[in-house]
Structures are given as C-alpha cells and as structure tokens.
C-alpha cells in the first residue's frame, strides 16, 4: 500500500491499518447478543456491523449497547436477538472510504460515536473504523511533520516536503 501524502489520508487508509481490517466484523441481526459478545471477545473489538437476511447493512451493535440494553436491564444475551438492541441503519452515521480522516473524525465527534461503518456508493458496507484508528492516523501525520521540521532545522535536506 502506498502511503498517501500528508493531509490526503482518507478513511480507507485508516481502515487498512485498523484492527477491523482482515476480520469478520459483521454479524447477522438474527444472531443472539451472546454470539455478538463472543465475537467482541474473540476479535478484541467493541463494535460489529449487523446485516439482515439479505446481507444488507441493518445497523451496528456495540459493547455500549450490551451494557445499557442487556446488563443494566437484567436481560439475558442468550435469548435476546442482536436486532432488538442494535442501532438501526436509519439512525446510523456512515462514511465513504474516500472521505478524509478529519471529516470522519468530525462526524464521530459530533454524534459522540466511537465506530463508523464505511459504505460504498451502493450503501454496501466495505469496512468499519474506530476513533482509535483515526487518532492513530492523525498521530502518524503529526510525527512525520515533526520529523520533517526537525530534519529541516538541523540542515538535513534543502527543502521541506509534506
């Protein structure tokens, strides 16, 4: 993968470096919450995309959903379906893989969410990123800028390229 220029990093760049990349980050919305929790634990993630019987995006389920809608209410995850507690697609905030990291971060901060499904032009899910993935991408850019400025300051290289 070619590293994009600074300031040009997009959601797909963060996705490719994400802990979600390369795992099965989706779950059928007819599955039990217990199955979702097992998947959270198996992959060490905090959110899964939910899909309906046709394989289309139906929502997301997070650890927060489990805590607030199962554990605190005394329900059991073994008999509760994912679709009963997930955030529905109609209420989801999503992003395009081509959106900038800054745009994705702004969406997440404005809605106080920690995970953002990435969808293509046909609204097909192509990934999911976390706020942690975006922060890592931003830090990587900042570290590169600092290194470039430090090198320039001590006379290494005759120009500054971002």
């Amino acid at each position: 993968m070619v590293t994009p220029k600074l300031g040009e990093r997009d959601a797909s760049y963060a996705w490719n470096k994400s802990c979600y990349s390369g795992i099965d980050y989706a779950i059928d919305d007819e599955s039990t919450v217990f199955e979702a929790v097992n998947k959270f634990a198996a992959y060490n993630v905090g959110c899964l995309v939910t899909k309906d019987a046709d394989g289309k995006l139906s929502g997301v389920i997070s650890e927060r959903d489990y805590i607030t809608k199962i554990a605190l209410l005394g329900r059991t995850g073994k008999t509760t379906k994912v679709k009963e507690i997930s955030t529905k697609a109609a209420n989801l905030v999503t992003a395009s893989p081509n959106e900038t990291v800054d745009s994705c971060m702004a969406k997440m901060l404005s809605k106080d969410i920690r995970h953002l499904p990435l969808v293509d032009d046909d609204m097909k899910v192509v990934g999911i990123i976390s706020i942690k993935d975006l922060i890592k991408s931003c830090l990587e850019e900042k570290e590169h800028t600092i290194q470039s400025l430090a090198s320039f300051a001590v006379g290494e290289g005759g120009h500054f390229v971002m």
Side-chain angles (χ1 to χ4, degrees):
M1 178 174 86
V2 176
T3 302
K5 292 180 185 177
L6 293 177
E8 294 180 5
R9 294 188 178 172
D10 58 18
S12 65
Y13 179 80
W15 159 247
N16 286 320
K17 293 186 158 246
S18 172
C19 66
Y20 285 95
S21 182
I23 68 164
D24 179 14
Y25 54 85
I27 191 162
D28 185 86
D29 62 9
E30 289 290 333
S31 299
T32 64
V33 173
F34 183 74
E35 291 171 283
V37 170
N38 279 329
K39 215 166 186 180
F40 292 153
Y43 291 127
N44 195 27
V45 295
C47 185
L48 298 169
V49 172
T50 64
K51 293 187 176 183
D52 63 19
D54 297 326
K56 293 182 182 174
L57 172 68
S58 62
V60 295
I61 183 171
S62 68
E63 292 170 321
R64 187 180 289 177
D65 290 323
Y66 176 78
I67 297 295
T68 61
K69 299 171 186 171
I70 298 293
L72 287 177
L73 298 177
R75 296 171 74 184
T76 175
K78 289 188 177 185
T79 58
T80 306
K81 302 280 187 197
V82 164
K83 69 180 179 181
E84 294 176 48
I85 70 162
S86 63
T87 301
K88 304 301 178 247
N91 298 324
L92 275 185
V93 177
T94 62
S96 157
N98 300 322
E99 284 188 51
T100 65
V101 166
D102 287 344
S103 172
C104 292
M105 205 174 253
K107 283 182 174 186
M108 294 172 89
L109 291 172
S110 72
K111 296 295 185 181
D112 194 28
I113 57 175
R114 295 176 290 175
H115 298 89
L116 191 63
L118 301 178
V119 296
D120 64 15
D121 293 336
D122 298 321
M123 293 304 288
K124 180 182 175 219
V125 179
V126 295
I128 185 170
I129 52 177
S130 69
I131 193 73
K132 181 176 157 184
D133 299 325
L134 298 177
I135 290 169
K136 283 180 182 179
S137 182
C138 287
L139 284 175
E140 200 175 275
E141 284 192 43
K142 304 295 182 222
E143 288 169 357
H144 183 273
T145 300
I146 289 168
Q147 183 59 45
S148 295
L149 289 170
S151 295
F152 183 73
V154 297
E156 294 176 2
H159 61 284
F160 180 75
V161 178
M162 297 228 349

